Each structure stands twice: as structure tokens, then as C-alpha cells.
Amino acid sequence: MMKAGRGATLLAAVAASALALTGCGGGDAESDPNVLKLWHYESPDSAMGVAWNAAIKEFEKTHPGVKVEFEEKGFEQIQKTASMVLNSDDAPDIMEYNKGSATAGKLSTQGLLADMSAEVAERGWDKMISPNVAVTAKYDDKGTMGGDKWFGIPNYAEYVMVYYNKELFEKHGVEVPTTMAEFTAALDKFVAEGVTPLTNAGAEYMAQQYVYQLALSKADRNWISNYQRYTGPVNFTDDAWTHGATTFQQWVEKGYVDKNTVGQKAEEAGVAFMKGEYPMMFSGSWWFGRVNAESKFDWGTFVWPEAEFTLGSSGNLWVVPEGSENKDLAYDFINITLQKNIQNQLGNAGGIPIAADPSAITDEKSKKLIADFNELTEGDKLAYYPDWPVPGFYDALVAQFQKVMNGEDPKESLAPLQTTYEDGLPK
């Protein structure tokens, strides 16, 4: 979302980024039927990067004479320029894109993404993807997720959990909590021992995810659907949002969360946890591989205690530009990423596959990660993410919940979100 006074500058910057993106593709307007142009933004050593590299090799092996022309892009790069790039001759044949009504949904309404519904039915992908994971892949005519047409395919999933330092838990005599009462007691125990229990990033997504998780304890599926899919009225000063913001402010006041993290970024928060400076980190499965690789202590994970709902969804989507002349090759590649051997590699690399053979996952921590996710999906407990509903909402949540951390009345911090949300709703 452009801010007043900066529109021209930002538009020029976005246009320049788009030119840089399209320039990378070589500027060839002719589509080569023996080349599949693929873009994604996962690092080579991430679970997705490992699995998709294996999928590229499998694709080329099963498609003699066809080469995958892969280009790694930045998340922000694709996010900001997708509309312009996909409307050009230099668009890829397949790319990774962020899920949600404000992103993939928006592109679907612009006619930039191929409707894959027929392909999904023919290849049986709808049988592999559970209904509440499929929500983020399907959109209606207004671009609202959960519609009837498939505009993307996920091949992994994600959710938010508590990472914990087993050595600090043992040192301070704290047991892994299974109820909110036990969780609060654990937080109090650490504070009494002079230890701040929870890492946090007020300047990015972590603070808003605490508030949303706490709000979810007072929510039901209708509340989530109203908020995420516009099926009913939303009130940001209702009992659920007020409970979330008020409780989070109390946690800051009690020392469960360090007030000085109000300006901290997620990377700093994650690194602090991996250095052993905090007993717990409430964040996503996207950290799993790094925690496993970089932490020098024994660690584990648990789902937020007594959660009827928690943050999570499918992973990002494979989307196929409507203008691609190699759609069949793109669909073949997607199909390979859903095969058992690729899904198993993803799972063993620390990702959450959606179609793996459970017996093929050998790492114990990965087994628990996947088992906990399966329990969430089977119980219809995924509540997506708080910044999803409308464009620009992420920044609004960051700003308002920084005010909560700084002691502003929670209802005063919540009230401006109403206008931002309603102004961003699809018309």
C-alpha cells in the first residue's frame, strides 16, 4: 500500500524492480517448448529448496530434452512486482507466490493466474490436499480465499508453535506445559528466576502473532471465517481482540516479554533464542531447519497449550501464469513436487509435507513437527495469520501492537484497525 507523498517514488522503484526482474529472464518473448521457466524464493538449504531441487532433477529425468531454467528471486521482489511481471512476455511458466486473499487472490481477479481446477480434478490433487489446507489455494470471483476455483497448489504446510530450550527448562525446574495454567506458571517461574521467558519482535510479525493467538482463545470458527473470509461482521474491540491485546500488554508488564523488544526484528529474536538467551520462542515452522542447524543446545517444540485454534495454513503456492505457453510442463512439475519421494525428502529436511509417507520420516523432531500439524488439521484448528485479510494490514498491526507494548490502552490501539480493515475489503 502506497503512503501519501511517496507514491511517485515508490511507483518508480517498483517499475525499476520489475525491469530488473524481467531482464533476468533474457527478454525473449518467444516461448521455448523445451524450457520450463521456474521462479521461487526458497534458499538452497531450506527444506523446500532441498525438495524442489530434487524435483527439478526428477522433472528433467522424466522429460528428456526439456530443461528447467530456474531463477531464485526475493520474496519482496516477487511480492511487489508480480502484477507487472506476470502481465509481460518475460513471466515464468511457474512460480512460488504468497497465499491469501490480498496476494494470490488479488492476482486471480486480475486474470493473471491460470485456473487449475480441471487439472486438479484430473490429477487427483484435491485428494492429496486436506480441505483446510486447500482453503488458501482456492478463490472466488472477488479473490477471497476458500472459493471454488483452484489458482494455486501448495506442496507443504506451516504453523506456529512454541520452540523451547530443554536445558534452560531443566536448569530452572520447569516442566513442559500442557495447559494454559501450567504455561502461565512456567512463565512466572522463569521471571522469578530472573529470566525473560519469551523472545519477541515488536517491529515485525511476532508481536501480532502473540495477540492473535491470545485472541483465538476467545474465538470460534465463525469469528475466524468472518475475519479472514468476510463472511460476517468484524469488531476489533470485541471480547476476543480485547482479550488478546490486554493479555499481551499484561505479559509485557509482568516481564514475560521484554518491553525493549518493541523495536526488534524477527531475525534478531530468532537468533537470540538460538543463542540460548531465551527459554522459548513462539514462531513458525519456517524456523525449524535453522533452529536444528544453529542451536547448540537440546531443544523441542510443543503446540500452544489448550489451543482450540492456532496460526497456520498451507505453505506458499505454485501458481501458473495465465500467459504461460508451457502450462502442461508446469503442471507436470507440480505433480512431481507432490510425489512421495519428493515429499519424504521435504519432511526429512525439516519441512511439513502434505503427502509424505509417515514411515519414511526418520528424524524424531521432524516426526513430532509433522504429527502435531496433522493433529491440527484433523481437528480443523488452523486459523491462518492475522495480517492476511487485506493489503497493508501487516504494517497496521505492527504499528498498533507496538503501542500496546508501550502501554497504550489496548482498546485505543485496536480501534484504528477497524477503518484500515474495512477500507481494504474487496469491493
Side-chain angles (χ1 to χ4, degrees):
M1 179 179 293
M2 294 185 180
K3 296 182 180 179
R6 297 180 61 201
T9 302
L10 282 175
L11 184 58
V14 168
S17 297
L19 288 173
L21 269 170
T22 56
C24 290
D28 182 8
E30 294 294 326
S31 177
D32 187 339
N34 294 315
V35 172
L36 176 70
K37 292 175 63 175
L38 182 152
W39 292 359
H40 72 66
Y41 39 76
E42 306 295 341
S43 62
D45 56 353
S46 69
M48 281 67 73
V50 169
W52 296 349
N53 187 51
I56 289 172
K57 292 179 180 177
E58 179 71 16
F59 177 89
E60 292 183 337
K61 178 181 176 182
T62 56
H63 293 72
V66 180
K67 178 176 175 56
V68 176
E69 192 176 276
F70 164 62
E71 294 182 26
E72 183 179 343
K73 303 294 183 182
F75 176 85
E76 293 291 338
Q77 187 182 30
I78 290 180
Q79 189 88 336
K80 291 177 179 178
T81 63
S83 293
M84 285 182 285
V85 172
L86 295 186
N87 205 24
S88 75
D89 291 330
D90 295 283
D93 297 304
I94 179 173
M95 77 175 190
E96 177 186 12
Y97 195 60
N98 197 16
K99 67 277 182 191
S101 301
T103 48
K106 182 179 180 181
L107 292 190
S108 74
T109 65
Q110 296 171 340
L112 296 174
L113 302 182
D115 176 357
M116 292 189 269
S117 302
E119 204 69 28
V120 168
E122 182 178 335
R123 294 180 184 257
W125 293 339
D126 52 342
K127 305 296 190 298
M128 301 179 186
I129 303 170
S130 64
N132 62 352
V133 171
V135 166
T136 60
K138 301 167 70 178
Y139 297 86
D140 64 18
D141 291 340
K142 290 186 177 181
T144 305
M145 67 179 187
D148 56 349
K149 295 180 181 178
W150 293 75
F151 285 97
I153 299 294
N155 76 327
Y156 72 101
E158 60 185 39
Y159 68 104
V160 175
M161 72 206 84
V162 180
Y163 294 81
Y164 72 102
N165 183 323
K166 290 185 178 181
E167 295 174 16
L168 287 179
F169 268 57
E170 184 177 349
K171 177 181 178 180
H172 296 284
V174 177
E175 298 291 328
V176 175
T178 58
T179 66
M180 275 307 293
E182 291 174 356
F183 192 31
T184 303
L187 298 173
D188 286 330
K189 175 71 171 174
F190 279 119
V191 170
E193 299 268 327
V195 177
T196 302
L198 294 163
T199 191
N200 176 56
E204 289 187 340
Y205 57 82
M206 286 187 178
Q208 60 186 257
Q209 292 184 354
Y210 278 117
V211 174
Y212 190 54
Q213 181 64 67
L214 291 164
L216 289 171
S217 68
K218 302 294 183 181
D220 58 19
R221 178 53 72 185
N222 284 336
W223 185 95
I224 295 165
S225 183
N226 290 347
Y227 176 57
Q228 296 283 358
R229 299 171 60 191
Y230 330 127
T231 54
V234 172
N235 178 3
F236 283 91
T237 55
D238 65 10
D239 290 345
W241 280 112
T242 301
H243 172 78
T246 301
T247 304
F248 184 61
Q249 186 176 82
Q250 292 170 349
W251 282 19
V252 173
E253 293 168 350
K254 290 179 179 180
Y256 298 170
V257 173
D258 186 348
K259 183 177 181 178
N260 292 327
T261 61
V262 67
Q264 186 162 264
K265 302 286 184 117
E267 175 69 12
E268 299 171 272
V271 168
F273 172 76
M274 291 185 289
K275 286 183 175 178
E277 296 174 8
Y278 293 87
M280 287 178 277
M281 175 173 72
F282 179 60
S283 199
S285 51
W286 51 86
W287 282 100
F288 191 92
R290 281 190 66 185
V291 172
N292 199 35
E294 298 179 30
S295 299
K296 306 302 181 186
F297 50 83
D298 193 12
W299 60 279
T301 61
F302 59 89
V303 175
W304 192 271
E306 293 187 299
E308 288 298 318
F309 302 100
T310 197
L311 295 82
S313 71
S314 78
N316 290 322
L317 306 174
W318 288 123
V319 298
V320 176
E322 178 59 35
S324 170
E325 295 181 13
N326 291 325
K327 290 187 179 70
D328 287 341
L329 293 179
Y331 299 146
D332 285 352
F333 181 81
I334 292 172
N335 199 55
I336 287 173
T337 68
L338 290 167
Q339 290 179 358
K340 293 286 187 190
N341 61 325
I342 302 300
Q343 289 282 294
N344 294 344
Q345 288 189 57
L346 194 154
N348 280 311
I352 304 175
I354 62 172
D357 177 359
S359 65
I361 309 302
T362 56
D363 178 77
E364 289 303 318
K365 286 186 173 68
S366 294
K367 282 183 179 180
K368 185 176 188 305
L369 176 78
I370 296 167
D372 285 346
F373 178 78
N374 289 341
E375 186 174 328
L376 292 173
T377 57
E378 289 164 7
D380 191 28
K381 294 182 177 183
L382 297 181
Y384 316 116
Y385 295 90
D387 60 301
W388 275 15
V390 298
F393 210 49
Y394 177 96
D395 291 336
L397 293 173
V398 168
Q400 296 311 115
F401 295 148
Q402 283 181 315
K403 293 177 182 179
V404 169
M405 289 189 68
N406 283 328
E408 182 175 277
D409 179 85
K411 284 203 172 186
E412 290 184 14
S413 297
L414 289 165
L417 295 173
Q418 193 76 37
T419 300
T420 306
Y421 177 86
E422 291 176 359
D423 286 350
L425 292 175
K427 302 299 187 284

